[in-house]
Amino acid sequence: MEKKDLLSHNCITRLPLYLNYLKSLDYDDLTLVSTQSIATGLNINAEVVKKDIAAISSEKGMPRKGRSVVLLVKDLEKFLGAGCQINAVLIGTGHLGKALLNYDGFSEYGLNIIAAFDSDPRCREIDVCGINVYSMSLLDNIIKDKHAEIGIITVPSHAAQSVAEKLVQAGIKAIWNFAPINLNLDPSIIVANVNMASSLAVLSHQLYLNNLK
Amino acid sequence: MEKKDLLSHNCITRLPLYLNYLKSLDYDDLTLVSTQSIATGLNINAEVVKKDIAAISSEKGMPRKGRSVVLLVKDLEKFLGAGCQINAVLIGTGHLGKALLNYDGFSEYGLNIIAAFDSDPRCREIDVCGINVYSMSLLDNIIKDKHAEIGIITVPSHAAQSVAEKLVQAGIKAIWNFAPINLNLDPSIIVANVNMASSLAVLSHQLYLNNLK
């Protein structure tokens, strides 16, 4: 796997959009695509798309013809980790946890959820989509045994900090946090937050302001 | 409802964190809280918290004593829309759609999901958490009838643009988009994206870079 080191945060967030768009096209080995048409299709500035694609692409595009869709998909998949699976564990098998366990699109980004955990014994009677749900007491052993590197937190927010600490103690290096709190962890731990309530708050506030007009 | 008009995007995204934190405290009518302790609890810069709270608070804090938790919770709830319900419809009752329908925390932000829609007739045999799942052919009527203002898109990405256009035609003013594509809509429509794949791509890229060190 070769990943360019210096891509911006914003560029990386756009790469899944490009991959998704290209895969939605009806293409074969000979199909070409221009960065302009990707830009139009995704409603993103064309110069931005051109720069992003140039940064991750292994071949130069042909002027006025474009790039091979097949090769570009391959480059994006390679960059986004499809060739290199990272083991992850998920804590909290409520509705959101189950939605994530059921979603099969994360493997495109190299995410391989190998086990789920829940403190509620009732949740452990089932497995979700072939993924076993274990007791929290097994967290440490399973993380070490399976070399899991990412922990996905979908527990209620009051439990999130303590779960995060347990994950870090067990050797987890990166946390994907869906609980609406800021985790307080050693700066060496990578944390990405998906805060739905914050996104909703912004939406509802903008709607309120527009309704005032 | 009085909302301050000029709060920054970043400030608004933090307000749900404050509300969540305050509600996790064991408090009564007399309990006071300092912005410093909120800052410490949430791992956010204290000056930032102080400014945010001052912007939405209806009362001045007492120097060296702090603010009433009860009043602050009330102010945050008021700002975030708990007093003013906005009707919303959800399109796409797959796992993520179901997770959102099952989540009862959105009402704190004024979101009242009044109906769900799915193009697959098999999904319409059930209702999810008391919310009926209707055929897409009823979308227009129900949105107009119930004065729904927000559309939540949880369909696969190839269907998202066309669903968004139908929502806008029916009178929806704001879209909360969970499909990993950029929607191409009239600029007057408010769009907030929750792109999990992008968040995961950033996490996995940072992990890769750290592993190189």
Side-chain angles (χ1 to χ4, degrees), chain A residues 71-89:
Chain A
L71 287 181
L72 201 44
V73 165
K74 205 179 272 179
D75 284 338
L76 283 163
E77 285 186 336
K78 193 174 169 188
F79 185 91
L80 290 168
C84 140
Q85 293 290 311
I86 302 174
N87 284 348
V89 294

Side-chain angles (χ1 to χ4, degrees), chain B residues 84-135:
Chain B
C84 141
Q85 293 289 309
I86 303 173
N87 284 348
V89 295
L90 179 142
I91 326 295
T93 58
H95 296 296
L96 182 60
K98 281 211 189 82
L100 296 180
L101 291 175
N102 275 306
Y103 185 66
D104 59 3
F106 295 138
S107 58
E108 280 182 24
Y109 305 101
L111 191 79
N112 179 28
I113 304 178
I114 50 111
F117 297 85
D118 206 293
S119 60
D120 184 345
R122 284 170 300 179
C123 296
R124 298 199 291 271
E125 289 163 23
I126 47 148
D127 70 74
V128 182
C129 276
I131 297 166
N132 278 322
V133 183
Y134 297 99
S135 154

Side-chain angles (χ1 to χ4, degrees), chain A residues 17-197:
Chain A
L17 302 180
Y18 303 146
L19 181 58
N20 207 288
Y21 173 77
L22 293 171
K23 285 189 167 181
S24 75
L25 303 174
D26 184 23
Y27 67 94
D28 63 24
D29 284 359
L30 297 175
T31 312
L32 300 178
V33 67
S34 67
T35 49
Q36 178 62 56
S37 66
I38 299 174
T40 307
L42 288 170
N43 197 22
I44 301 177
N45 180 291
E47 281 306 307
V48 169
V49 176
K50 200 172 159 186
K51 215 172 142 189
D52 289 346
I53 297 289
I56 61 95
S57 187
S58 59
E59 54 136 31
K60 285 194 175 179
M62 286 174 283
R64 275 183 289 276
K65 286 191 171 172
R67 291 165 186 277
S68 152
V69 176
V70 170
L71 287 181
L72 201 44
V73 165
K74 205 179 272 179
D75 284 338
L76 283 163
E77 285 186 336
K78 193 174 169 188
F79 185 91
L80 290 168
C84 140
Q85 293 290 311
I86 302 174
N87 284 348
V89 294
L90 179 143
I91 326 295
T93 59
H95 296 297
L96 181 61
K98 281 209 189 81
L100 297 181
L101 291 175
N102 275 307
Y103 185 66
D104 58 4
F106 295 137
S107 58
E108 279 183 23
Y109 305 102
L111 190 80
N112 180 29
I113 304 179
I114 50 111
F117 297 85
D118 206 293
S119 60
D120 183 346
R122 285 169 300 178
C123 297
R124 296 198 292 270
E125 286 163 25
I126 46 147
D127 71 74
V128 183
C129 275
I131 297 166
N132 278 321
V133 183
Y134 297 99
S135 155
M136 288 297 285
S137 63
L138 296 171
L139 189 73
D140 200 81
N141 277 349
I142 291 175
I143 287 174
K144 284 176 178 145
D145 196 42
K146 305 275 189 185
H147 305 288
E149 293 186 88
I150 293 181
I152 305 168
I153 296 183
T154 47
V155 298
S157 50
H158 65 83
Q161 176 68 32
S162 120
V163 163
E165 287 168 12
K166 281 180 192 143
L167 287 167
V168 170
Q169 273 165 19
I172 285 293
K173 295 175 184 171
I175 288 179
W176 201 19
N177 174 39
F178 287 79
I181 71 157
N182 273 15
L183 299 170
N184 193 357
L185 298 170
D186 188 276
S188 69
I189 305 298
I190 302 157
V191 179
N193 295 302
V194 180
N195 189 336
M196 296 192 206

